[in-house]
Amino acid sequence: MKKRIAVLKKEYCNPVGCGDYLCVKLCPMNRAGKECIVKGEDSKPQINEIICTGCGICPNRCPFHAISIINLPSELNQEPIHRFGPNGFALYSLPTPIFGKVVGIVGVNGIGKSTAIKILAGELKPNFGRDESASYDELIEFFKGTEAQKFFEKVKAGEIKVGYKPQAVDQIPKIFEGTVKELLQKADEKNMFEEIAKKLDLVRVIDRDVKHLSGGELQRVAIAATVLKKANLYIFDEPTSYLDIKQRIKLSKFIQELADEETAVLVIEHDLIILDHMTDLTHIMYGLEGVYGIVSMPRTTRVGINMYLDGYIKEENIRFRDHRIKFDTQPIEREESDIVMSSWSSVEKKLGNFSLKAEPGEVKKRDVIGILGENGIGKTSFVRILSKEIEPDSGEINEKIKIAYKPQHLKGGDELVSVVLQTAIQKFENQLIIPLGIKPLLFKKLNQLSGGELQRVSIAQCLSQDADLFLLDEPSAYLDVEQRLRVSKIMADLMEVSGKSCLVVDHDLLFIDYLSKKLIVFDGEPAISGVVKGPFSMEDGMNLFLNDLNITMRRDEESSRPRVNKLDSRKDREQKSGNKLYYV
Ligand code: SF4
Ligand code: SF4
């Protein structure tokens, strides 16, 4: 018999709006006299998974996309570890912390990564899909013979103490008032706050009020506060958001150094290049957003990421995506337009103590240009100069163009998504609303959206504006790997069809590599000076950028995805001596 689950997203369900329990009226089993969907005590429908035949009528007809009826992979022969009530989200299995190792988790958003982490952190007692919580003995029995068994034996004996860095670091100023020093001193159980602040480059901002920190600074403060806790399991949920590439590489080393015989580290990360660099083993999590999630066995990270891109887990014989994610071994050659959209001569601008210089350059029609550089090096100021919002001190911008801008930090509000995205709904349903998965969000308010949902809405809002040049600042933040790659494709297709151009500032190198035809590279010293160079071809731009980072990259033999070479490895030395830091 097929294993079927029925999940109702209660926050989407609106029994009055759909015409008085449309699903209850339409269900053929109900019509045949059975009680397959009934009105529950909370006034929301309840679906009996045993009676339901999976005919597909209710999920297709519910106008609010509230119902999912899913046939689980037949190979999945286990009960859920946890279920949020009847017709609630179901999580199958758990990631395994391993002492001495950094274990990564990769997967799409909304498939239970946070739930899994809460269970491991002891914040949520799993229930095996029943009404009551399970005992630790049951968990130990469930995982018998695996690393997880050892872990839960320690949990039962009270020997696990967890340090947890949550995803949403933007919330810190809402829950803590005071300076960075005060926050770190409060968290400091190891008496090491000065040393950790130094390692995470926080000394410069140590006396600053947390209210006045940038996203990247907040991220590093949150990481510092986590590791200052005396713990033997550290969990980092998306530790690289808002960090630039230099900081990401540095953080990888910092996190690797935490793992020892007595300490396990778990990391959820969507930047695949960094996940690859930072972790020893990786779990794939797959499933359906808000409906169910399955955790695979851990594999070495190289194999795990390749399987994830493949969409197929060979040993478990499970295909969780109907297509492979492919990477081109060479940048795609596309015909370049002769029409210049925007151009600038040698430009200079002083902004307080910061000075910005740009070498002459131009953006052509249909260009999709990635912008790489450290935080605080003048990327946003340069774009404001391009849009003629700021006058340069010397040099000039030759064309007057309309610019649409998506900022790095997104603001929620009281407005409905459908109101904010009116133009996108009218003109770009197929190009933006459907591929970005925004339809189910239309009747939500902006402040009810998760970070990833708000990001997708902001991208749609920016790209639907009447503009010549689109500038997107960190569109990858809070998006999972698949969403990042989908956004790349949406932008490239839209520019190709509309003849417009776009500039994308981002720190996920794989995303930039996948998306861009050209690169602008920012050189200089954060908060002191910035020099804008380019646009270059991908190869020249990457060579320049990687040279500054002192890293080299190769393509994985199997999946062709970019990987960072180990410093001083044979490949690293060979590539450096041939000045081919990338694309070999
Ligand atoms: Fe109506 Fe959909 Fe809710 Fe059923 S699930 S009551 S069709 S809104
Ligand atoms: Fe009824 Fe199940 Fe069909 Fe929905 S999918 S209409 S619950 S039989």
Side-chain angles (χ1 to χ4, degrees):
M1 198 173 81
K2 271 195 172 156
K3 212 169 169 164
R4 179 175 302 122
I5 58 168
V7 173
L8 176 79
K9 289 182 188 159
K10 288 190 183 173
E11 69 280 17
Y12 289 7
C13 167
N14 176 354
V16 179
C18 72
D20 199 16
Y21 295 92
L22 185 64
C23 51
V24 175
K25 289 186 206 158
L26 291 176
C27 174
M29 299 308 280
N30 279 14
R31 289 175 168 226
K34 305 226 167 108
E35 293 203 325
C36 185
I37 313 190
V38 294
K39 192 170 148 184
E41 277 172 13
D42 59 356
S43 303
K44 303 278 171 166
Q46 238 175 44
I47 305 166
N48 185 320
E49 290 171 354
I50 299 170
I51 299 177
C52 168
T53 59
C55 74
I57 291 176
C58 65
N60 285 330
R61 294 290 300 275
C62 170
F64 300 105
H65 310 276
I67 302 178
S68 302
I69 309 281
I70 299 293
N71 291 322
L72 292 169
S74 51
E75 295 76 9
L76 185 78
N77 47 13
Q78 53 179 261
E79 291 306 316
I81 279 281
H82 190 74
R83 191 150 192 202
F84 290 96
N87 302 145
F89 178 87
L91 173 69
Y92 294 83
S93 199
L94 287 173
T96 316
I98 299 176
F99 291 89
K101 301 266 183 234
V102 182
V103 177
I105 303 170
V106 62
V108 296
N109 282 334
I111 53 165
K113 293 192 285 288
S114 305
T115 305
I117 278 173
K118 278 191 189 138
I119 294 175
L120 294 173
E123 280 180 27
L124 177 73
K125 209 69 193 296
N127 60 13
F128 285 107
R130 304 182 308 234
D131 289 340
E132 62 196 37
S133 303
S135 66
Y136 281 122
D137 286 330
E138 279 179 277
L139 272 171
I140 291 165
E141 182 59 31
F142 184 87
F143 287 110
K144 208 169 175 180
T146 66
E147 282 286 332
Q149 178 194 349
K150 289 186 215 155
F151 176 77
F152 281 109
E153 279 167 352
K154 281 185 189 278
V155 175
K156 188 184 168 198
E159 291 168 9
I160 295 291
K161 182 143 189 265
V162 180
Y164 171 47
K165 202 281 309 164
Q167 181 201 59
V169 292
D170 337 46
Q171 300 298 318
I172 297 174
K174 291 185 191 149
I175 51 174
F176 182 86
E177 276 184 24
T179 64
V180 171
K181 190 173 181 179
E182 284 161 353
L183 189 151
L184 295 185
Q185 278 176 332
K186 200 170 166 213
D188 192 5
E189 296 174 356
K190 295 179 174 170
N191 215 6
M192 284 176 74
F193 103 87
E194 280 173 354
E195 187 185 330
I196 297 295
K198 217 173 186 180
K199 280 194 175 175
L200 289 169
D201 294 331
L202 288 169
V203 177
R204 207 172 38 86
V205 294
I206 203 83
D207 292 316
R208 202 174 286 172
D209 195 309
V210 292
K211 281 205 292 281
H212 299 129
L213 297 180
S214 69
E217 287 158 355
L218 278 175
Q219 182 69 269
R220 282 176 287 133
V221 167
I223 293 167
T226 307
V227 303
L228 285 171
K229 275 188 90 177
K230 260 191 200 157
N232 53 358
L233 169 59
Y234 291 101
I235 302 175
F236 299 95
D237 195 348
E238 298 190 30
T240 67
S241 311
Y242 301 129
L243 299 188
D244 63 39
I245 298 170
K246 227 179 216 173
Q247 293 164 336
R248 288 179 190 209
I249 303 250
K250 223 169 157 186
L251 179 70
S252 292
K253 196 162 169 272
F254 178 81
I255 287 186
Q256 276 168 344
E257 284 170 1
L258 282 178
D260 60 29
E261 264 176 34
E262 285 169 8
T263 315
V265 181
L266 267 185
V267 182
I268 296 175
E269 183 53 58
H270 298 301
D271 179 333
L272 287 187
I273 291 180
I274 295 298
L275 180 81
D276 191 28
H277 197 55
M278 187 191 283
T279 61
D280 304 298
L281 299 164
T282 289
H283 287 278
I284 297 172
M285 274 191 80
Y286 58 96
L288 191 62
E289 189 183 337
V291 179
Y292 74 101
I294 300 173
V295 187
S296 79
M297 301 287 290
R299 278 148 179 111
T300 59
T301 293
R302 182 184 164 267
V303 171
I305 293 180
N306 284 352
M307 264 183 191
Y308 178 70
L309 296 173
D310 239 2
Y312 178 59
I313 304 176
K314 204 168 160 204
E315 294 87 342
E316 293 162 43
N317 189 24
I318 286 175
R319 173 154 295 289
F320 59 90
R321 197 186 317 107
D322 61 5
H323 61 277
R324 291 175 67 185
I325 296 173
K326 285 188 241 144
F327 292 87
D328 298 305
T329 47
Q330 290 293 320
I332 304 169
E333 296 291 334
R334 282 186 234 201
E335 217 177 289
E336 191 175 75
S337 166
D338 293 330
I339 306 169
V340 173
M341 191 67 102
S342 176
S343 63
W344 55 95
S345 60
S346 216
V347 166
E348 289 193 26
K349 176 79 191 170
K350 196 121 178 84
L351 295 148
N353 291 332
F354 180 78
S355 64
L356 182 69
K357 277 187 191 168
E359 296 174 357
E362 60 185 21
V363 177
K364 291 187 172 164
K365 242 181 177 223
R366 291 198 290 274
D367 269 352
V368 179
I369 302 178
I371 300 185
L372 292 173
E374 290 179 62
N375 282 334
I377 206 153
K379 297 188 291 279
T380 313
S381 306
F382 175 62
V383 173
R384 288 175 65 205
I385 292 174
L386 276 193
S387 69
K388 297 201 169 182
E389 203 186 304
I390 307 180
E391 272 292 312
D393 300 334
S394 66
E396 60 186 68
I397 310 302
N398 299 325
E399 290 79 15
K400 173 102 183 111
I401 50 168
K402 253 199 256 171
I403 295 194
Y405 177 53
K406 185 207 80 68
Q408 183 191 57
H409 292 283
L410 311 171
K411 284 201 188 93
D414 247 358
E415 302 112 297
L416 280 179
V417 172
S418 54
V419 175
V420 176
L421 292 184
Q422 231 168 12
T423 315
I425 295 166
Q426 282 161 5
K427 296 189 184 160
F428 297 100
E429 186 173 9
N430 290 326
Q431 293 95 329
L432 295 172
I433 300 292
I434 295 175
L436 285 170
I438 289 174
K439 274 219 150 158
L441 310 177
L442 291 177
F443 299 103
K444 282 188 164 186
K445 289 179 180 172
L446 291 181
N447 54 19
Q448 293 174 317
L449 302 179
S450 69
E453 289 168 344
L454 190 57
Q455 184 68 270
R456 284 181 280 144
V457 169
S458 307
I459 292 171
Q461 204 259 345
C462 173
L463 293 176
S464 61
Q465 287 178 46
D466 177 23
D468 309 299
L469 180 66
F470 299 90
L471 171 83
L472 294 100
D473 199 350
E474 282 210 51
S476 79
Y478 298 128
L479 298 187
D480 62 45
V481 179
E482 291 185 35
Q483 287 165 340
R484 289 175 191 204
L485 300 180
R486 203 170 308 132
V487 164
S488 309
K489 193 166 176 337
I490 289 167
M491 284 199 262
D493 289 351
L494 206 64
M495 298 311 126
E496 197 64 36
V497 172
S498 65
K500 310 283 176 77
S501 320
C502 86
L503 298 177
V504 182
V505 177
D506 211 278
H507 301 301
D508 179 340
L509 267 186
L510 187 133
F511 174 68
I512 285 287
D513 176 53
Y514 202 79
L515 158 106
S516 320
K517 288 194 227 171
K518 295 178 186 169
L519 282 180
I520 288 178
V521 179
F522 275 71
D523 225 347
E525 211 177 316
I528 296 174
S529 64
V531 183
V532 187
K533 297 178 175 178
F536 299 104
S537 68
M538 287 301 289
E539 190 170 350
D540 291 346
M542 279 291 188
N543 265 338
L544 181 70
F545 183 68
L546 296 180
N547 193 19
D548 180 46
L549 285 178
N550 191 28
I551 60 173
T552 56
M553 298 186 83
R554 67 186 187 284
R555 292 203 173 265
D556 182 71
E557 281 169 21
E558 223 172 274
S559 62
S560 300
R561 68 185 157 93
R563 304 186 71 195
V564 175
N565 289 321
K566 266 214 174 82
L567 193 65
D568 261 342
S569 63
R570 188 178 52 82
K571 273 224 163 260
D572 183 58
R573 278 183 276 121
E574 263 173 29
Q575 285 179 229
K576 277 178 182 157
S577 67
N579 198 26
K580 272 192 164 273
L581 310 184
Y582 195 66
Y583 282 134
V584 287

